[in-house]
């Protein structure tokens, strides 16, 4: 049977700053989804990572199905209502539009969806990240789908050896979806050249080249393109199918041990290490560090199993310590150089105004007084 996984995530308010939602808020989202679960033939799992609430749904209706999107939107509105009643910080932060018009994409929430023919067993992973942007998944996905140093299945798995097709989106383009298809391993360097620029090029989807089956999908919304100013980071979600003709769970998790530096952190304007954390973990130090949680589940005939929590395993403790040390080290240099994002990525924040005001104070020195070069 065909199943669609839809993960729709948003920040609609949090306790004590941008750190985590309240229990009542999460419950309000859950009960709104529960109201229509039967009617829409869906199963669901609600979770939170940092200050974002993720609604994961399994249903038979395909991607971009308006009633599913509308339900998620209404659930986030219900969460916003509770956030207002409780006086939470940033109530309704990610709901940038009031009127639902068919698709929640482009309204603020992050959306990752894929439809597939269910395998007899269908294990998959949901990654939810806070205080970062969709490009945070570029490196881990590149390593687990294109690099045999991380994915031994590319050498050992008969159905993986032909490699994977990457669909990469130019998220700076506001006129529409500007995408390119590139094949690993032939186009490996081209894939790398694009994915290194995590604020502009983002992995949207990955497909197995032997079977044509979709392996992964990432949310690609850029809030600043919708709002025209900084209103919070595009805290992304990513779904990855695992095992048999896809990388093994452990091959998809392995790159997170790098705790690579990603854009986000305080005010969405810094670089910080991506720390793998248990489900339901908030953020703390310098509104961070950027965090990623993982739900490992199976879906069978449209129903979810309970979720395993791979990043709660003792292995990740020393990795978390390493990420904390990297975060502190980077923070030692405050706003200088790589600690803060380049101007091009801050253009929707207050610094633009300051630099605009300085513009007329710049003077061109007369040529005769110019310093000889
Ligand atoms: P299975 O053969 O059970 O899928 O496990 C192999 C594997 O992927 C272990 O990493
Ligand atoms: P969020 O995007 O997670 O709300 O964080 C915003 C922020 O500015 C944190 O410092
Ligand atoms: Mg927030
Ligand atoms: Mg957030």
């Amino acid at each position: 049977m065909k199943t669609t996984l839809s993960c729709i995530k948003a920040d609609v308010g949090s306790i004590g700053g941008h750190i985590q939602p309240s229990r009542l808020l999460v419950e309000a989202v859950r009960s709104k989804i529960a109201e229509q679960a039967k009617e829409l033939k869906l199963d669901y799992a609600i979770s939170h990572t940092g200050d974002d609430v993720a609604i994961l749904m399994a249903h038979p209706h395909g991607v971009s199905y308006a009633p599913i999107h509308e339900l998620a939107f209404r659930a986030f509105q219900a969460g916003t209502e509770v956030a207002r009643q409780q006086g939470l910080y940033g109530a309704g932060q990610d709901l940038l539009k009031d009127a639902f018009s068919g698709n929640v994409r482009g309204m603020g929430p992050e959306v990752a969806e894929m439809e597939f023919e269910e395998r007899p067993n269908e294990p998959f992973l949901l990654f939810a990240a806070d205080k970062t942007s969709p490009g945070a998944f570029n490196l881990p996905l590149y390593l687990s789908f294109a690099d045999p140093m991380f994915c031994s299945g590319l050498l050992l798995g008969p159905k993986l050896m032909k490699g994977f097709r990457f669909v990469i989106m130019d998220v700076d383009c506001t006129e529409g979806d500007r995408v390119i298809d590139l094949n690993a391993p032939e186009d490996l360097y081209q894939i790398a050249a694009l994915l290194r620029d995590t604020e502009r090029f983002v992995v949207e989807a990955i497909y197995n080249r032997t079977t044509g089956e979709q392996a992964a999908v990432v949310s690609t919304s850029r809030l600043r393109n919708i709002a025209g100013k900084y209103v919070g980071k595009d805290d992304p979600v990513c779904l990855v199918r695992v095992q048999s003709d896809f990388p093994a769970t452990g091959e998809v998790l392995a790159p997170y041990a790098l705790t690579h530096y990603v854009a986000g952190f305080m005010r969405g304007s810094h670089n910080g290490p991506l720390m793998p954390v248990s489900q339901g973990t908030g953020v703390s130090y310098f509104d961070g560090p950027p965090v990623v949680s993982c739900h490992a589940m199976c879906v069978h005939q449209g129903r979810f199993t309970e979720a395993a929590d791979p990043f709660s395993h003792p292995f990740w403790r020393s990795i978390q310590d390493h990420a904390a040390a990297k975060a502190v080290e980077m923070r030692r240099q405050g706003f200088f150089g790589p600690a803060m994002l380049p101007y091009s990525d801050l253009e929707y924040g207050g610094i633009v105004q300051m630099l605009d005001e300085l513009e007329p104070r710049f003077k061109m020195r007369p040529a005769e007084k110019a310093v000889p070069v």
Side-chain angles (χ1 to χ4, degrees), residues 11 18 51-52 93-94 130-131 230-235 265-268 287:
D11 171 356
H18 288 283
D51 60 2
D52 306 325
Q93 179 186 288
D94 285 354
D130 187 35
K131 304 298 180 273
Y230 176 72
V231 287
K233 211 65 183 165
D234 321 305
D235 305 325
F265 220 164
M266 175 60 75
R267 298 175 188 275
D287 281 6

Side-chain angles (χ1 to χ4, degrees), residues 159-166 182-187 207-213 245:
K159 286 208 221 145
L160 278 68
M161 287 175 174
K162 212 172 149 194
F164 288 87
R165 174 166 64 90
F166 284 67
L182 291 170
N183 287 323
E186 296 92 300
D187 301 325
Y207 294 83
N208 180 306
R209 293 175 65 196
T210 304
T211 63
E213 281 289 302
D245 33 358

Side-chain angles (χ1 to χ4, degrees), residues 70-270:
E70 179 159 15
L71 178 61
F73 185 71
R74 301 277 170 241
F76 286 128
Q77 282 185 320
T80 301
E81 195 44 46
V82 169
R84 292 213 172 99
Q85 283 161 12
Q86 288 193 294
L88 299 192
Y89 184 72
Q93 179 186 288
D94 285 354
L95 300 187
L96 303 180
K97 297 183 180 167
D98 295 330
F100 181 79
S101 56
N103 198 309
V104 79
R105 225 177 262 273
M107 299 186 74
E110 294 291 324
V111 182
E113 294 183 287
M114 62 176 153
E115 183 186 31
F116 48 81
E117 193 66 46
E118 260 188 24
R119 296 172 287 172
N121 59 81
E122 188 58 64
F124 73 95
L125 309 176
L126 160 65
F127 292 97
D130 187 35
K131 304 298 180 273
T132 186
S133 53
F137 290 119
N138 283 5
L139 177 60
L141 290 173
Y142 171 83
L143 294 175
S144 47
F145 283 91
D147 187 345
M149 294 288 282
F150 284 77
C151 180
S152 54
L154 295 170
L155 307 180
L156 305 174
K159 286 208 221 145
L160 278 68
M161 287 175 174
K162 212 172 149 194
F164 288 87
R165 174 166 64 90
F166 284 67
V167 183
I168 297 170
M169 184 183 281
D170 175 356
V171 291
D172 262 3
C173 177
T174 48
E175 288 137 41
D177 290 353
R178 188 163 182 265
V179 292
I180 184 169
D181 281 39
L182 291 170
N183 287 323
E186 296 92 300
D187 301 325
L188 199 62
Y189 295 169
Q190 288 79 358
I191 294 171
L194 295 181
L195 295 189
R196 61 154 291 284
D197 189 351
T198 53
E199 290 299 278
R200 172 146 188 213
F201 297 106
V202 170
V203 175
E204 180 193 52
I206 301 175
Y207 294 83
N208 180 306
R209 293 175 65 196
T210 304
T211 63
E213 281 289 302
Q214 185 166 4
V217 63
V218 182
S219 61
T220 51
S221 292
R222 299 236 59 187
L223 295 185
R224 68 182 203 193
N225 291 347
I226 305 168
K229 62 175 196 285
Y230 176 72
V231 287
K233 211 65 183 165
D234 321 305
D235 305 325
V237 284
C238 168
L239 292 164
V240 185
R241 297 167 74 196
V242 289
Q243 301 297 146
S244 58
D245 33 358
F246 303 118
T249 303
E251 289 164 339
V252 178
L253 297 176
Y256 291 92
L258 292 177
T259 68
H260 60 298
Y261 285 107
V262 296
F265 220 164
M266 175 60 75
R267 298 175 188 275
S269 304
H270 297 79

